Amino acid sequence: MIERIPSTPPHIDPLPEGTLRPLWSVMIPAYNCSKYLEQTILSVLAQDPGAENMQIEVVDDHSTDADVGLLVERVGKGRVAYYRKDVNMGSLRNFETCINRAKGQLVHILHGDDLVKDGFYKEIEALFNQFPETGAAFTDFLYVDETGKTLYTDPELLNNPGILENWLPYIATRQRIQPPAMVVKRSVYEQLGSFYAVKYGEDWEMWVRIAASFPVAHSPAHLACYRVHNDNITGSSLATGQNLKDINKVMDIIQNYLPAEQRKKLNKTAKKHFSIYFAWMAHNIYRGGNKKGGLKQINGAMQMHLNKTTLVLGLKLYLKLLIRY
């Protein structure tokens, strides 16, 4: 029986000789996200360079919320391919299927609840043309809510498009990329393998793995949107506390990608960063009505790294619980 969460990076086979290779493969993994999927597909079709240059395919992990095939047929009008799994295999195996089915040189895994803005593909193509030695490239992005309204952005990494200097030690201490913004050469996946180990933080592990082997290019243009909602893997993991276990596991894994003399320092920095992040999340979850979930987050955050910010946030949450606020 195939593991839903692979314990090692799944191998990606090179394509057979003679395979017609477009530049792009936009692979859309989908599972019970039908209310967002139409917008996702339309955001790609709005900048479609044509079938010779771009493969577009929805890979359905046996959704039960709608007839995804009919949705793809209606919205894609024959331009978007559809592949449905016989059984649900989980997000990691679906990403693996996406990569294996991708025929393009550049693979964009666009989750079925996220979207891209006009100009995304031209901007990424320009990055790879200008910096051909890169293994991956990403634009900046927006966090949006269920309606598509912008919530916030992260601090800018670069003023102008370019190669990210000292990227490995930086990305090894925090998650600074969301999947809709990232494009990876298929040859890189063939060399490094697919996603594995955890359901929460699997993308962070991959971005560090890539950074350890290849230069990474970036554009500060906000051309991708990462959707924040309670039904996705991030939301459910935060509510149950699984995120804490997974991030601790990822931090252990990425030690292997770092220079030996930097491992201890970078691990401490990562633990502090995520401790503070999860402490803030604890308050958000608590305010959302999940008091047990909030308590799991703050306890895990304080066990991960005890610093002034996490301690203050922890005391505030314990006080709320005490007075039943």
Side-chain angles (χ1 to χ4, degrees):
M1 186 175 179
I2 298 176
E3 297 175 292
R4 290 177 66 86
I5 300 177
S7 55
T8 58
H11 181 70
I12 302 298
D13 289 324
L15 292 166
E17 281 192 35
T19 302
L20 293 176
R21 303 288 305 275
L23 176 63
W24 286 99
S25 281
V26 181
M27 310 304 292
I28 304 175
Y31 177 67
N32 288 356
C33 58
S34 297
K35 63 181 177 180
Y36 306 116
L37 186 56
E38 179 173 346
Q39 189 178 6
T40 302
I41 295 170
L42 289 175
S43 76
V44 177
L45 291 176
Q47 45 194 314
D48 176 18
E52 290 185 358
N53 292 310
M54 180 180 283
Q55 170 192 10
I56 309 172
E57 182 170 322
V58 172
V59 181
D60 178 14
D61 195 23
H62 206 82
S63 293
T64 57
D65 65 335
D67 189 327
V68 179
L70 280 177
L71 186 155
V72 172
E73 183 179 353
R74 175 177 60 81
V75 178
K77 296 180 171 61
R79 175 65 181 91
V80 180
Y82 175 68
Y83 178 81
R84 177 176 170 84
K85 297 280 195 71
D86 293 333
V87 295
N88 176 270
M89 289 299 299
S91 57
L92 299 187
R93 290 299 183 184
N94 210 27
F95 301 156
E96 179 187 350
T97 300
C98 284
I99 300 168
N100 276 315
R101 291 183 62 82
K103 295 179 173 63
Q105 299 171 47
L106 305 177
V107 180
H108 183 210
I109 299 178
L110 179 61
H111 296 186
D113 54 356
D114 296 330
L115 62 149
V116 287
K117 303 181 82 172
D118 286 348
F120 175 82
Y121 295 104
K122 287 184 178 178
E123 187 74 4
I124 292 290
E125 185 175 343
L127 285 173
F128 279 111
N129 286 338
Q130 188 174 357
F131 309 105
E133 71 275 22
T134 58
F138 68 103
T139 69
D140 222 326
F141 55 91
L142 305 171
Y143 292 90
V144 301
D145 66 11
E146 294 184 359
T147 68
K149 179 183 177 182
T150 299
L151 298 172
Y152 54 92
T153 64
D154 285 327
E156 199 171 71
L157 290 170
L158 292 175
N159 293 324
N160 298 294
I163 297 286
L164 289 157
E165 302 294 336
N166 299 313
W167 180 238
L168 177 59
Y170 183 86
I171 190 64
T173 62
R174 69 203 67 207
Q175 170 60 298
R176 184 52 185 86
I177 311 166
Q178 292 298 347
M182 174 63 90
V183 175
V184 180
K185 288 179 177 176
R186 194 184 195 281
S187 58
V188 170
Y189 284 130
E190 291 167 11
Q191 179 176 327
L192 300 181
S194 185
F195 299 83
Y196 85 112
V198 295
K199 285 180 65 177
Y200 178 93
E202 83 291 342
D203 52 337
W204 180 42
E205 184 279 329
M206 177 63 80
W207 312 149
V208 180
R209 201 188 329 161
I210 291 172
S213 298
F214 298 92
V216 176
H218 173 65
S219 167
H222 293 84
L223 295 175
C225 297
Y226 175 76
R227 202 182 296 273
V228 179
H229 60 92
N230 291 331
D231 295 332
N232 64 7
I233 292 172
T234 299
S236 60
S237 294
L238 287 168
T240 62
Q242 183 63 39
N243 61 302
L244 296 159
K245 297 177 183 177
D246 284 356
I247 284 297
N248 276 308
K249 187 172 183 178
V250 171
M251 285 191 285
D252 288 341
I253 291 171
I254 66 176
Q255 289 288 290
N256 300 314
Y257 308 146
L258 305 174
E261 67 276 10
Q262 295 184 29
R263 289 174 185 171
K264 186 175 181 180
K265 179 182 178 181
L266 294 176
N267 185 252
K268 184 177 180 180
T269 302
K271 285 182 180 293
K272 181 179 180 180
H273 172 81
F274 279 103
S275 169
I276 294 171
Y277 173 73
F278 292 137
W280 281 112
M281 287 297 101
H283 283 264
N284 291 340
I285 292 168
Y286 184 93
R287 281 195 296 270
N290 186 349
K291 294 184 178 181
K292 288 184 178 179
L295 188 59
K296 284 181 182 178
Q297 291 297 314
I298 200 64
N299 287 342
M302 295 179 74
Q303 290 171 15
M304 185 177 291
H305 186 279
L306 194 57
N307 55 80
K308 183 178 178 181
T309 302
T310 300
L311 180 59
V312 169
L313 289 170
L315 291 174
K316 285 182 178 180
L317 190 63
Y318 294 146
L319 181 59
K320 287 179 181 180
L321 285 165
L322 184 63
I323 65 175
R324 297 182 180 180
Y325 175 74

